[in-house]
Amino acid sequence: MRCPFCGNVDSQVKDSRPAEDHVAIRRRRFCPACGGRFTTYERVQLRDLVVIKNSGKREDFDRTKLERSIRIAMQKRPLDPERIDQMISGIVRRLESMGETDIASKVIGEIVMETLARIDTVSYVRFASVYKNFQAADDFDKFVSELRPQGGADE
């Protein structure tokens, strides 16, 4: 593994342990050339996925891009970072197990929204506001009113 600090290709593994509920391996590494320490994660990749955007453009699936958008939606929410990592790994496994290598961005967005709805309502609404391109407060109001149970007792 190439050192991110000096570019040396001979880094040494100092410690390995399971991560993300045993779906990844976390490795602490040391660079003998510059003395830098860094962490890498090793995950199983079942197949190379390609995302088909709404515009028709195709791009390679990027787990870090998915992770970044989910973490933005979950910012300052009382959720364990390990739980967020497990959720992201679950979404990626679900995408990989669909049997298709080409996946529409709309499908990915729907899977993320479905997962967030089960875990944290605030994060779900935040993600939906970007995904569904809310333009005004009325868009939020309509979306949130659909989340509320119909005819139930007032909270």
Side-chain angles (χ1 to χ4, degrees):
M1 177 67 59
R2 183 179 304 273
C3 173
F5 306 112
C6 71
N8 181 29
V9 293
D10 293 325
S11 64
Q12 300 171 352
V13 175
K14 291 296 181 186
D15 177 46
S16 292
R17 67 178 67 161
E20 299 174 19
D21 202 28
H22 296 276
V23 296
I25 298 174
R26 177 184 182 268
R27 300 194 193 279
R28 288 291 299 150
R29 295 179 178 269
F30 170 78
C31 176
C34 71
R37 294 179 180 270
F38 57 100
T39 303
T40 59
Y41 289 87
E42 183 178 316
R43 294 178 183 86
V44 171
Q45 183 174 335
L46 297 175
R47 57 179 46 108
D48 290 330
L49 300 175
V50 175
V51 177
I52 302 171
K53 301 289 200 167
N54 291 334
S55 66
K57 181 181 171 195
R58 301 165 58 90
E59 66 180 49
D60 291 337
F61 175 77
D62 185 357
R63 179 193 170 98
T64 57
K65 190 173 177 181
L66 173 69
E67 183 175 351
R68 186 172 47 247
S69 66
I70 291 172
R71 288 195 186 277
I72 288 169
M74 299 184 102
Q75 197 169 22
K76 296 184 180 180
R77 297 299 302 150
L79 294 160
D80 181 35
E82 184 71 21
R83 177 68 179 111
I84 297 170
D85 290 338
Q86 290 171 3
M87 181 190 76
I88 294 166
S89 293
I91 291 170
V92 172
R93 278 195 309 273
R94 186 169 165 190
L95 293 171
E96 290 176 336
S97 66
M98 290 174 70
E100 298 290 326
T101 55
D102 294 355
I103 301 175
S105 61
K106 179 178 175 142
V107 171
I108 297 170
E110 294 296 330
I111 289 172
V112 170
M113 285 186 35
E114 176 187 312
T115 305
L116 285 173
R118 288 192 315 263
I119 293 174
D120 185 62
T121 308
V122 172
S123 300
Y124 170 61
V125 172
R126 286 177 179 171
F127 186 87
S129 71
V130 174
Y131 176 71
K132 293 183 178 280
N133 197 21
F134 292 176
Q135 297 295 317
D138 291 343
D139 296 336
F140 278 98
D141 190 41
K142 181 179 177 204
F143 185 78
V144 171
S145 69
E146 292 171 5
L147 294 176
R148 292 189 184 113
Q150 300 299 318
D154 291 341
E155 290 185 32

